[in-house]
Amino acid sequence: MGYESTVTSPVNIAVVKYWGKRNSELILPTNSSLSCTLSQDHLNTKTSIRASPSYTSDRLWLNGFEEDLYASARLTNCIRELRRLRKEKENELSSSDLASPENLEAAEHHVPPLSEWCIHVASENNFPTAAGLASSASGYAALVQALSNLYDLSISLTQLSMIARLGSGSACRSVYGGFVEWQAGILPSGEDSYAVSVAPETHWPTLQALILVVSDKKKSTPSTSGMSTTVKTSELFPIRISEVVPKRIIQMKEAILQRDFTKFALLTMKESNQFHAVCLDTYPPIFYMNDISRAIIKLVDLFNSQVDEITKKPKGIRVAYTFDAGPNAVIYAEKDVIKEFIELVMYFFPRGTGQTSNSFFPDPFGLL
Ligand code: DP6
């Protein structure tokens, strides 16, 4: 006897970055952020959860290796919240629901309700974990959706987003596809801090993301501790939060809704630059980009400065870069440009330029 649910969730890459918490337990951010959820055909986390009355403890496997599930308060917070909702549902069951096949089977075998069964969680990334490629986002989004399905909870995407947020801030955005805003909210309870859809993926189907894996090593400063030191020490940070980000969120939404690539690209690059400037302004400073990352920025700049040979007119801004908490670049470009840019990348950075290996870090929940 048992129930199983499997969910695959995509990663999202922020174009207006979340960096800083006002409450680190509830994972409430200092600012709103905006991201693009990538197609899950390429980068994703697949999570399967099985519940059985015969299991004696909750267990977790990450990329095939068993980890201590209870070592992560964030993971247990997400599971606890979903169990609470399941319990609520069980308490609310009307007499007709009590005659459902699952309850009849449970009654027949004298087993406790589903909310009390232990679970086994197996989660796999198809990309390097903790290398600044948003693995915790897809990891927690897949976990909460899989458990919510297993518990047959009819909860809204808003609620799911809030529960995923308890695992990792950026995970609340991976609940939606397309263009997504995480509204920071102001309430101490966090009830107004969740993601909303800005536009579906179909709104701008020609916009593509290219990931340049510079290194698949685990990042030197995890996002959680990095942003906490930034909040405490950076003098640029308060200006970013009060003056820069609120305007950028509005401008970025306009750029997306108008499918204005030049505006989108300029904002994305400036936003990435400022995020890394604030990291550098942190004490001790945080360096996420390396020499190859900076060379990629130069290459994007070179590409965007090209002049048409016949008309002698600038070709314009056709490619944008953004870097999260690691050296890997995410390039945004329209579909008809991406091939030309890849050719240039392959010319300057032949395969093997970066510090990549085939070793994946089995740690989407930040346990290691
Ligand atoms: C630079 O969501 O990984 O990628 O909430 O502490 O788990 P925690 O942090 P996390 O931070 C992501 C930071 C970022 C920017 C972003 O995705 O918005």
Side-chain angles (χ1 to χ4, degrees):
M1 185 179 186
Y3 296 100
E4 192 171 326
S5 157
T6 298
V7 165
T8 304
S9 283
V11 307
N12 69 76
I13 303 293
V15 287
V16 178
K17 309 287 186 196
Y18 145 55
W19 196 253
K21 293 183 182 67
R22 61 187 164 93
N23 178 325
S24 49
E25 206 150 304
L26 294 174
I27 312 198
L28 302 177
T30 47
N31 60 280
S32 295
S33 55
L34 219 151
S35 60
C36 307
T37 298
L38 307 190
S39 152
Q40 63 177 21
D41 301 344
H42 302 292
L43 303 188
N44 64 55
T45 303
K46 185 174 170 188
T47 297
S48 298
I49 307 184
R50 199 177 153 75
S52 166
S54 62
Y55 292 163
T56 51
S57 64
D58 292 333
R59 293 173 72 186
L60 167 73
W61 287 262
L62 301 179
N63 294 319
F65 296 93
E66 184 160 13
E67 302 289 341
D68 179 8
L69 182 146
Y70 299 102
S72 166
R74 292 169 167 215
L75 195 53
T76 43
N77 283 350
C78 291
I79 295 173
R80 192 187 311 115
E81 181 56 13
L82 287 157
R83 276 207 169 112
R84 190 188 65 77
L85 292 169
R86 171 68 202 182
K87 184 124 216 101
E88 225 171 70
K89 183 182 165 108
E90 285 163 357
N91 292 340
E92 278 166 14
L93 282 179
S94 67
S95 48
S96 63
D97 287 334
L98 284 172
S100 71
E102 94 194 30
N103 285 320
L104 286 177
E105 200 182 343
E108 197 179 308
H109 292 86
H110 304 288
V111 291
L114 183 55
S115 62
E116 290 171 27
W117 299 6
C118 288
I119 55 169
H120 287 182
V121 181
S123 188
E124 282 185 10
N125 286 340
N126 68 348
F127 59 95
T129 302
L133 284 175
S135 57
S136 63
S138 53
Y140 279 101
L143 174 96
V144 297
Q145 292 189 52
L147 196 53
S148 161
N149 292 353
L150 188 131
Y151 285 163
D152 195 24
L153 301 175
S154 38
I155 57 176
S156 65
L157 285 179
T158 304
Q159 244 179 314
L160 263 189
S161 169
M162 282 198 275
I163 302 170
R165 194 202 72 218
L166 296 174
S168 180
S170 52
C172 79
R173 299 184 310 235
S174 267
V175 164
Y176 293 91
F179 303 88
V180 184
E181 179 186 1
W182 175 11
Q183 298 179 338
I186 48 164
L187 296 175
S189 65
E191 279 164 286
D192 57 352
S193 185
Y194 49 79
V196 296
S197 172
V198 170
E201 195 183 333
T202 49
H203 166 72
W204 198 347
T206 51
L207 185 69
Q208 297 210 324
L210 167 73
I211 303 197
L212 303 179
V213 181
V214 170
S215 168
D216 63 4
K217 303 269 183 301
K218 191 171 169 142
K219 55 196 169 195
S220 50
T221 310
S223 319
T224 309
S225 57
M227 65 177 83
S228 153
T229 319
T230 300
V231 173
K232 284 184 209 132
T233 64
S234 167
E235 287 173 39
L236 286 182
F237 182 73
I239 300 165
R240 164 171 167 76
I241 298 310
S242 60
E243 288 176 33
V244 183
V245 176
K247 273 191 226 140
R248 272 199 188 143
I249 288 277
I250 296 169
Q251 291 165 339
M252 188 61 91
K253 277 200 269 195
E254 280 169 7
I256 290 167
L257 293 174
Q258 294 159 0
R259 289 186 285 266
D260 181 338
F261 185 79
T262 306
K263 190 167 167 180
F264 171 83
L266 280 171
L267 284 167
T268 298
M269 292 188 283
K270 287 176 77 170
E271 176 60 16
S272 173
N273 295 349
Q274 188 176 80
F275 159 52
H276 291 277
V278 156
C279 287
L280 190 62
D281 189 49
T282 299
Y283 194 83
I286 307 168
F287 307 104
Y288 284 126
M289 291 192 288
N290 64 18
D291 285 349
I292 300 175
S293 320
R294 283 184 283 272
I296 292 169
I297 294 181
K298 277 280 176 210
L299 192 66
V300 168
D301 191 34
L302 188 80
F303 190 85
N304 285 338
S305 311
Q306 283 174 316
V307 172
D308 187 290
E309 279 171 24
I310 300 164
T311 63
K312 305 288 176 220
K313 284 197 181 133
K315 288 186 175 178
I317 307 285
R318 297 184 298 150
V319 162
Y321 59 78
T322 186
F323 295 82
D324 278 336
N328 300 313
V330 177
I331 303 292
Y332 285 110
E334 294 270 20
K335 201 173 179 173
D336 56 346
V337 173
I338 216 100
K339 197 165 165 271
E340 191 185 329
F341 184 73
I342 292 176
E343 278 165 13
L344 194 71
V345 171
M346 297 305 278
Y347 178 78
F348 282 102
F349 304 102
R351 209 169 269 281
T353 307
Q355 305 158 325
T356 59
S357 67
N358 289 325
S359 57
F360 282 17
F361 292 93
D363 188 25
F365 299 111
L367 290 165
L368 300 180

